[in-house]
Amino acid sequence: MGNNIPGCVSIVPIFRDLPTPALAELGQAMMHKRFPRGEIIHRAGDRVSELLVVASGQLRIVHTHPSGREQIVRIVGPGELIGELGLLAPAHYEGELVAAIPTEVCILPREAVQSVMRNYPDAALRLIESLAKRLALAEQMIGDLSLRDVGQRLAAELCRMAPFGRRLEGNRIQIEISGSWADLANKLGATPESLSRRLKSLTDAGVIQRTEGSRTLVILDLEKLEAMAGM
């Protein structure tokens, strides 16, 4: 992995199409680390001083409430990065950064990435685009939590997955849930038990088809699902 700089960096959208010298510059500054499942990489309040690119595995940012309840606010998978806010202004982690499973990351110091961005403005523009998309998703999540109940939030989330699903006969759409059902419940601000009840309700209503224990489900009636979500 150590010499496979393009495989670790060029798959990241903000570095797409960078010339070889720029990739080499990042490669010289890069460090590689492996984290076992459950390891806390940064704690809430730590300064964001580097860009982390996930090569394999999964990272999560987790907020812990005073009651002890944990809320997953962001999941970062292979080819995705974290720490981009720190490239534009001083920033700190708002929650714990945890390895959800055994994870390999490429670590790029803030100064090295900023140097490349100064020399290649297209990379800076793509960074801004990436942050704009993240802001839009955050606003969407806030709207969902404040305006929709758990059932509506679930329906809306499944509708958003539909365009990326596999088209089947009869206008059915097969989608696969990334992560676990517990992760999805966390994202929707629900308990796993509440999510299970809402999935059963959608199944009983003939809107989805689901096999117990599988992370794959089939949307049988997208229009009805959209109506349930209030979309």
Side-chain angles (χ1 to χ4, degrees):
M1 179 177 168
N3 296 322
N4 190 17
I5 303 307
C8 194
V9 175
S10 64
I11 57 173
V12 179
I14 68 170
F15 297 134
R16 188 181 299 131
D17 301 327
L18 278 178
T20 301
L23 291 176
E25 182 178 341
L26 291 173
Q28 289 175 357
M30 183 185 297
M31 297 178 292
H32 303 279
K33 282 193 176 180
R34 293 177 174 86
F35 298 102
R37 177 181 178 179
E39 180 163 342
I40 298 174
I41 301 166
H42 285 291
R43 296 188 179 277
D46 285 356
R47 179 172 171 265
V48 179
S49 60
E50 72 250 333
L51 192 69
L52 303 179
V53 180
V54 177
S56 65
Q58 186 186 94
L59 300 179
R60 297 176 182 172
I61 292 185
V62 180
H63 286 187
T64 304
H65 296 267
S67 64
R69 177 173 170 266
E70 292 186 342
Q71 174 75 45
I72 300 172
V73 296
R74 189 178 173 196
I75 296 175
V76 187
E80 297 179 327
L81 51 84
I82 196 164
E84 59 269 58
L85 283 174
L87 298 176
L88 301 178
H92 297 81
Y93 287 98
E94 295 185 0
E96 290 184 339
L97 180 63
V98 182
I101 57 178
T103 302
E104 295 187 14
V105 300
C106 302
I107 302 175
L108 291 160
R110 180 173 184 259
E111 295 76 14
V113 180
Q114 287 178 328
S115 173
V116 168
M117 289 170 56
R118 281 192 293 268
N119 293 326
Y120 302 94
D122 283 352
L125 287 174
R126 281 192 286 268
L127 172 63
I128 294 172
E129 290 173 358
S130 172
L131 291 174
K133 290 177 182 177
R134 272 191 55 200
L135 177 60
L137 288 173
E139 291 177 344
Q140 174 184 289
M141 181 182 293
I142 292 170
D144 280 354
L145 290 173
S146 60
L147 300 175
R148 291 185 168 111
D149 62 26
V150 174
Q152 290 174 315
R153 294 200 291 272
L154 171 60
E157 183 67 15
L158 296 180
C159 287
R160 295 185 190 112
M161 294 178 186
F164 306 100
R166 178 187 170 203
R167 296 281 172 174
L168 304 176
E169 291 182 2
N171 294 321
R172 297 176 303 150
I173 305 170
Q174 182 179 338
I175 60 175
E176 184 171 349
I177 307 300
S178 61
S180 66
W181 290 107
D183 290 341
L184 180 59
N186 228 313
K187 181 179 181 181
L188 298 176
T191 64
E193 294 77 16
S194 177
L195 176 62
S196 181
R197 289 194 296 270
R198 299 311 190 280
L199 286 167
K200 185 177 185 304
S201 295
L202 291 177
T203 302
D204 292 344
V207 179
I208 67 170
Q209 183 179 30
R210 177 180 169 231
T211 302
E212 197 66 34
S214 171
R215 289 189 294 111
T216 299
L217 59 80
V218 177
I219 298 174
L220 302 175
D221 191 334
L222 182 58
E223 287 188 4
K224 189 172 182 180
L225 190 65
E226 290 172 340
M228 289 178 164
M231 300 177 77

